[in-house]
Amino acid sequence: MEITDQEWKREQERVDDVTTKIGRRIRGLEAQVGEMRGDVVGLRKEFWDEVTMNFAEPDDLGETSTSMRQQSQVLAEREFGHKRAFSQLGKLRRLQHSPYFGRIDFREADESVTEPIYLGIASLLDDNEQDFLIYDWRAPISSLYYDGSPGAISYRTPGGSVEGEMELKRQYVIRDAKIRVMFDTGMTIGDELLQEVLSQSADDRMKSIVSTIQREQNAIIRNEQSRLLVVQGAAGSGKTSAALQRVAYLLYRYRDTLSADQLVLFSPNSLFNSYVSTVLPELGEENMLQTTFQAYLERRIGREFELEDAFDQLEYLLRGDVSEDGEYEARLAGIRYKSSLDYLEVIRAYREYLSEREMMFRPIRFQGHEIVSAEDMRRRFYEFDPTVKIPSRIEQMSKWLIKEVSEYGKSQRDEEWVDDQIQLLDSSALHRAYNLMRRKQKGAADTFDDFDQQREAAARMIVNDWLKPVRKWIKRQRFVDVKGMYRRLYKDESLFMKLSGGRPLPAMWHEVSRQTQDRIAKSELMFEDATPLLLLRELLQGFITNTAIRHVIVDEVQDYTPFQLEFLKRLFPRARMTALGDLNQAIYGHDSALDDYDPLLNLYGREESMVLRLTRSYRSTREITEFTKAMLPEGEDILAFTRSGEKPVLHRFAEDSVTGMEEAIAADIEELRKQGLDYTAIICKTQSECNELHQRLKDRLNTRLITKNTPAFEKGTVIVPAYLAKGIEFDAVLLHNASAERYSRESERKLFYTACTRAMHVLHLYAAGDVSPFVTGVDSELYEVH
Ligand SMILES: Nc1ncnc2c1ncn2[C@@H]1O[C@H](COP(=O)(O)OP(=O)(O)OP(=O)(O)O)[C@@H](O)[C@H]1O
């Protein structure tokens, strides 16, 4: 139904009224915040003046500390007040120009009054502190807006279900406090508005979607039942968007018990982390913790190994340098096996095995002397009752070893090397040594001239200092030779066979085992060995868990191996998990990653898990989605959003016409810029292809080369390897060299699909020589050839 002019006027008057009130509050709060800031600064400056300092007598120390505590409390309260007022101010400022985006008129059953509910990014009470001028989009009643249509309806609140009738559903676009668009809608949040939002240009930051959340996305956002929520969604279907709004929802819903630092997002890479980092602040929430699995591995594995990262592994695989010696195939076989649940079982069986025999230790050595031999340590380890858990035995052993080292230290004090070191001490160091000894021995004779006393003090200090690294090494349990034990797995075939308990060994076992041993001998760790080695270490030395985290969000979960998922579950024992993925975008196309969600659903058990699906793709135009989905064997399930654009274009070149291809790319980018599409990506298969192209284009075109070390995307034209463009989108994608030579292995299909689905408005493919079968396999009606 058309909205009458009178109605339009009434709505604008309401916007005026609300924004005037907001303006008034902002001014009031600004003055308050200014005052509070002054208070805090003053308090900080005068902190020490206000504290009663008295260190003269022991009794006065108590008084001093009470006074300090009181003063810090006052400061903390003011700081908290200031922070809260400041965040309230931010919220009001966000509301001022666009106070709300939706309205529903709802009449509760058995009530005669219909209440208009206006929805915005935060709630706002009227001056009477009773009536809501704006409801937060996350309030229970707001779910009606996303889920329902006019007619009989109900919504859930923590106290139960509320029945009633929705009499109106209206959408607005309000900018600078003026209603720009307004219409009444039926079932879904109107396509018109979505059309408008989606046809805008790409950004180097992700945007919030609160005003146009779709019903199936709302189910993800508000899901509270499942321990594990798995979202399988087509490319561009809003998985990441829904996940971020979900975080905002959880922070609101559990605002009294949950804080942003209890949620952690695992992203595919750090570029992506920066891409999504503005969504929550835009919604007035603090950002959750963000990390990558790689960062976690690096922190945990430390300096013991040179750790390969996932991108270098992928780069190696994608370059596909297949040589005669079978190196490449063996590596592939190794990756496949080492990511499997079969291998997880081998590692677990190894722990059981080690519990009874053949633990490996590193001897404790000092200056070439063996303080405790590996054999003695092993004997000691197996003297414990076998029911004592391995980590507890190791803990006990640390204590024993520290004692052994102390004893050894005592025996060294009269040695010649210690005398030599004493000669090198200056008088101040001697004094320090002596004072140290006096403090320790409390009643030692006060005769510093006494030569023996002096020497003893110095000897103690020297031996202690020299043994410090040994003690530290023991405390870190470095005497457990995890590296040796992991290596032995590959050295001792019969052991491996035994542990695998009849399950299949990796294909190309001999090559895999040689590769693994060689790398470990050089203290290099292939990416596929990192998680298994860490698991072995934790099984032996005890798990380091993080119990503070209550929600883990894993984006691009299809690229995780079952092994890694098991690890995440163990790492966050008290957390719920939201896992978002698209099995069609598995860039680790060597099937070590998930090919179905079974391993994921088995993590917490099916009863505690739920899978929700998103099938409509919002990112790309209909033409691009129709083209990309045709590349997939089961692509027909994917639905395109009704937004039209040009068909994708394939530019063909002769095999040797590299320059022709580059010139065409450069010219197209110029053209796109003229059309106002200035956030474009030239996507290549690998980093090395990107590097070369960047070199060749740099005099002709202003482009930015993206590598795994680039901290953030910026607007403009970028050259990026497909695997780093994951999760991101661009106005236009220009796919460099969609030739059969680059993309023809079945394992590369999903990577190719991922690259093409990054395009919002325009997709161009350039191929030198034969075209990739992934393109020629698509109905030729769906793209143009130039
Ligand atoms: N309900 C919505 N309203 C407005 N925009 C939406 C909505 N859902 C998704 N979008 C837009 O669609 C695009 C794709 O969303 P998003 O990146 O969250 O999808 P995804 O499923 O994570 O994609 P991919 O798996 O391909 O990385 C984004 O620009 C997002 O803003």
Side-chain angles (χ1 to χ4, degrees), residues 22-38 82 85-86 88-90 92-93 96:
I22 294 176
R24 234 183 1 245
R25 281 192 214 170
I26 289 179
R27 283 189 296 281
L29 208 54
E30 272 170 349
Q32 236 180 333
V33 166
E35 258 171 47
M36 284 169 148
R37 191 185 307 121
H82 176 256
F86 194 72
Q88 175 71 3
L89 192 56
L92 289 171
R93 283 183 182 143
Q96 192 175 28

Side-chain angles (χ1 to χ4, degrees), residues 103-306:
R103 164 180 167 185
I104 43 176
D105 287 2
F106 182 68
R107 187 165 48 79
E108 240 180 79
D110 308 327
E111 295 274 345
S112 55
V113 191
T114 302
E115 196 193 347
I117 310 282
Y118 287 84
L119 275 73
I121 60 161
S123 50
L124 186 75
L125 281 170
D126 204 347
D127 295 339
N128 64 12
E129 299 272 312
Q130 279 192 356
D131 301 323
F132 277 93
L133 293 173
I134 307 169
Y135 279 82
D136 194 296
W137 63 278
R138 298 162 291 186
I141 197 166
S142 307
S143 69
L144 288 177
Y145 178 74
Y146 300 114
D147 290 342
S149 46
I153 197 153
S154 68
Y155 68 95
R156 283 219 317 264
T157 70
S161 177
V162 180
E163 314 281 328
E165 176 94 8
M166 189 199 292
E167 295 177 354
L168 177 82
K169 180 161 164 178
R170 181 167 287 175
Q171 283 182 265
Y172 313 80
V173 176
I174 303 175
R175 293 210 188 98
D176 300 326
K178 291 275 166 289
I179 302 178
R180 310 280 162 170
V181 182
M182 175 167 69
F183 48 85
D184 294 345
T185 63
M187 183 67 190
T188 50
I189 307 290
D191 277 0
E192 296 107 291
L193 190 58
L194 207 47
Q195 290 264 10
E196 193 203 286
V197 174
L198 296 174
S199 56
Q200 288 166 8
S201 279
D203 209 325
D204 54 358
R205 292 280 183 261
M206 190 162 214
K207 287 176 255 163
S208 113
I209 59 162
V210 281
S211 57
T212 48
I213 291 168
Q214 301 295 292
R215 188 184 185 146
E216 60 279 14
Q217 294 171 333
N218 196 34
I220 296 165
I221 296 168
R222 291 178 189 244
N223 179 289
E224 288 174 34
Q225 307 93 293
S226 335
R227 174 85 195 266
L228 167 69
L229 176 64
V230 181
V231 179
Q232 157 60 37
S237 58
K239 295 179 290 294
T240 308
S241 307
L244 295 171
Q245 322 297 308
R246 173 166 166 75
V247 171
Y249 173 77
L250 292 170
L251 286 172
Y252 172 86
R253 169 83 175 82
Y254 299 102
R255 54 194 174 281
D256 296 333
T257 52
L258 188 69
S259 60
D261 54 9
Q262 292 177 304
L263 292 110
V264 60
L265 169 70
F266 277 82
S267 301
N269 54 56
S270 31
L271 269 171
F272 180 89
N273 265 337
S274 94
Y275 179 67
V276 300
S277 61
T278 44
V279 176
L280 286 161
E282 206 183 292
L283 291 171
E285 294 293 351
E286 270 180 53
N287 242 331
M288 75 236 125
L289 304 171
Q290 289 178 249
T291 187
T292 60
F293 197 75
Q294 181 70 33
Y296 167 71
L297 285 178
E298 274 163 19
R299 210 171 37 242
R300 296 287 292 115
I301 288 178
R303 279 163 292 173
E304 197 178 351
F305 287 98
E306 197 181 310

Side-chain angles (χ1 to χ4, degrees), residues 200-207 271 274-275 669 672-673 676-682 704 706 712-718 720 728-734 758-762:
Q200 288 166 8
S201 279
D203 209 325
D204 54 358
R205 292 280 183 261
M206 190 162 214
K207 287 176 255 163
L271 269 171
S274 94
Y275 179 67
I669 286 183
L672 291 166
R673 277 183 192 159
L677 300 181
D678 51 11
Y679 192 29
T680 51
I682 306 173
R704 219 163 92 85
I706 303 289
F713 276 97
E714 279 168 27
K715 282 216 164 180
T717 302
V718 296
V720 57
I728 320 272
E729 60 195 17
F730 304 92
D731 285 331
V733 165
L734 292 84
R758 301 305 95 203
M760 293 169 71
H761 313 300
V762 173

Side-chain angles (χ1 to χ4, degrees), residues 418-437:
V418 179
D419 274 331
D420 293 347
Q421 290 301 317
I422 293 175
Q423 301 305 321
L424 300 174
L425 291 182
D426 61 20
S427 61
S428 70
L430 276 171
H431 253 95
R432 200 159 37 87
Y434 187 69
N435 286 339
L436 204 72
M437 189 173 84

